Amino acid sequence: MKSAVIVFPGSNCDRDMAEALKLVTGRAPEMVWHRETSLPDGIDLVTIPGGFSYGDYLRSGSMAAQSPVMRAVREAADRGVPVLGVCNGFQVLTEARLLPGALMRNAGIAFVCRDVALRVENSQSVFTSGYDSGEEVVIPVAHHDGNYQADAETLDRLEGEGRVAFRYLGQCNGSARDIAGILNPAGNVLGMMPHPERAVESAHGRTDGRRLFEGLLEAVSQPA
Amino acid sequence: MAPYLRSDGRPMKTRVYVTLKNGVLDPQGKAIHHALEGLGFGGVRDVRAGKLIELDLEPDVTEDAVEEMCRKLLANTVIENYRIEKAERAA
């Protein structure tokens, strides 16, 4: 599997993402700087890592969403290439309108940095096929703006179409309906606040994130 | 659309106010409200926090262009409203 990690000024989980991809896929991803106007040929997976792109200026993810590379990411997403945005990457995807809604300041104002329990709500996507539906997993979060909000109609649509991929078990950041991760209508774009790349080897203390990458590898490797 | 111009033809400084839409929860406003109460200020019913963005524009920048700036970047219209205010640059 040929993967890419998009790097913005202020990204700081790009190396974690690269290590996780390398560990699971056996192949180091291409690191793609935000000024690039195209992605490497034959890319099977695009990841947008966590961090504080552009210092979270204006709104988290707002500047990065306008970067030249995001046009290429949008085109890849339109072609059906899986796009995974984690934490700041999720914020970038909502700001780029590749995913609906917005990620606002945490309801409790405080930065939340801890392991959280999640329920896998949909195991049918390319991102979640390594899990069982309804399964509970523990993956760490570390964010200030993870409070997912959208209007009631959008939330109902997300729920009705099975596009809520992960849900917090219990209060985390004030997110509407405890939403932790959502899919686009085609199911090939996932944004999530928890960091699966920080739970892929025993030294991390937890490995529940690893199956996300393993599932992706399997899904992408299968002939269409 | 007419460009933003002062009567003497010099550009004006334009202000964009970005505020959260009604009904959108405002954790920062809530914290400020709480802090004001902590300081002993009574009678504050609600606090909403927003942003003020000042633009120093060339004279040929149209109102349409400023609207587009707001929609594309300055405000996230999923959760925010914006208001554009033309203001003269201080002499």
Side-chain angles (χ1 to χ4, degrees):
Chain A
M1 180 168 81
K2 190 171 175 183
S3 58
V5 179
I6 309 295
V7 185
F8 299 102
S11 294
N12 68 4
C13 302
D14 44 330
R15 282 189 60 191
D16 302 59
M17 185 65 85
E19 288 300 320
L21 288 167
K22 195 175 158 189
L23 181 75
V24 175
T25 70
R27 186 172 173 180
E30 305 269 346
M31 306 304 280
V32 181
W33 184 235
H34 69 120
R35 302 295 301 173
E36 298 290 338
T37 52
S38 63
L39 296 169
D41 286 338
I43 212 79
D44 299 309
L45 167 69
V46 178
T47 62
I48 307 179
F52 300 85
S53 58
Y54 295 87
D56 278 352
Y57 290 169
L58 192 64
R59 296 176 307 276
S60 297
S62 64
M63 304 289 188
Q66 308 299 329
S67 286
V69 76
M70 285 308 293
R71 192 183 298 256
V73 171
R74 184 185 302 276
E75 284 166 9
D78 288 345
R79 287 200 309 274
V81 175
V83 177
L84 168 67
V86 170
C87 199
N88 189 222
F90 187 8
Q91 294 160 347
V92 173
L93 289 173
T94 57
E95 281 285 342
R97 307 288 163 85
L98 281 163
L99 291 172
L103 291 146
M104 302 188 59
R105 181 53 41 100
N106 293 344
I109 298 293
F111 192 96
V112 177
C113 183
R114 61 180 169 86
D115 284 340
V116 294
L118 304 168
R119 188 167 56 233
V120 181
E121 297 287 8
N122 175 353
S123 66
Q124 304 303 306
S125 77
V126 289
F127 305 97
T128 53
S129 60
Y131 302 102
D132 296 322
S133 274
E135 185 181 349
E136 293 180 10
V137 296
V138 176
I139 295 178
V141 295
H143 59 249
H144 213 169
D145 297 307
N147 179 354
Y148 183 76
Q149 296 295 330
D151 57 46
E153 192 188 323
T154 303
L155 294 170
D156 287 343
R157 197 165 59 240
L158 288 171
E159 303 267 14
E161 295 173 359
R163 289 166 54 197
V164 177
F166 297 100
R167 204 187 302 271
Y168 302 111
L169 289 167
Q171 178 59 240
C172 178
N173 51 29
S175 286
R177 304 187 193 179
D178 294 322
I179 287 172
I182 56 167
L183 295 157
N184 70 336
N188 69 312
V189 178
L190 170 69
M192 63 189 292
M193 290 312 295
H195 287 269
E197 80 282 7
R198 292 189 190 178
V200 295
E201 53 184 297
S202 55
H204 286 152
R206 299 186 180 279
T207 57
D208 282 350
R210 184 175 177 127
R211 279 184 291 153
L212 185 145
F213 298 101
E214 288 171 344
L216 259 173
L217 177 63
E218 202 180 315
V220 167
S221 305
Q222 276 170 2
Chain B
M1 274 292 175
Y4 290 137
L5 274 184
R6 278 190 347 183
S7 50
D8 62 2
R10 288 180 53 200
M12 303 188 293
K13 202 166 262 186
T14 294
R15 288 177 161 179
V16 176
Y17 294 89
V18 181
T19 51
L20 284 174
K21 285 183 176 175
N22 283 336
V24 173
L25 227 72
D26 178 8
Q28 292 181 97
K30 233 174 163 177
I32 296 165
H33 192 180
H34 191 71
L36 286 172
E37 285 173 343
L39 288 168
F41 291 106
V44 181
R45 284 185 183 157
D46 193 21
V47 178
R48 306 281 283 175
K51 292 189 192 90
L52 165 62
I53 299 165
E54 282 191 339
L55 305 170
D56 196 347
L57 301 170
E58 295 288 348
D60 59 351
V61 176
T62 63
E63 288 183 33
D64 281 352
V66 179
E67 283 275 342
E68 204 183 341
M69 291 178 203
C70 291
R71 284 195 306 269
K72 276 188 117 166
L73 180 67
L74 302 182
N76 179 345
T77 54
V78 173
I79 45 167
E80 294 170 328
N81 290 323
Y82 61 86
R83 182 166 60 82
I84 300 165
E85 180 189 277
K86 292 182 275 183
E88 295 220 358
R89 197 196 331 237

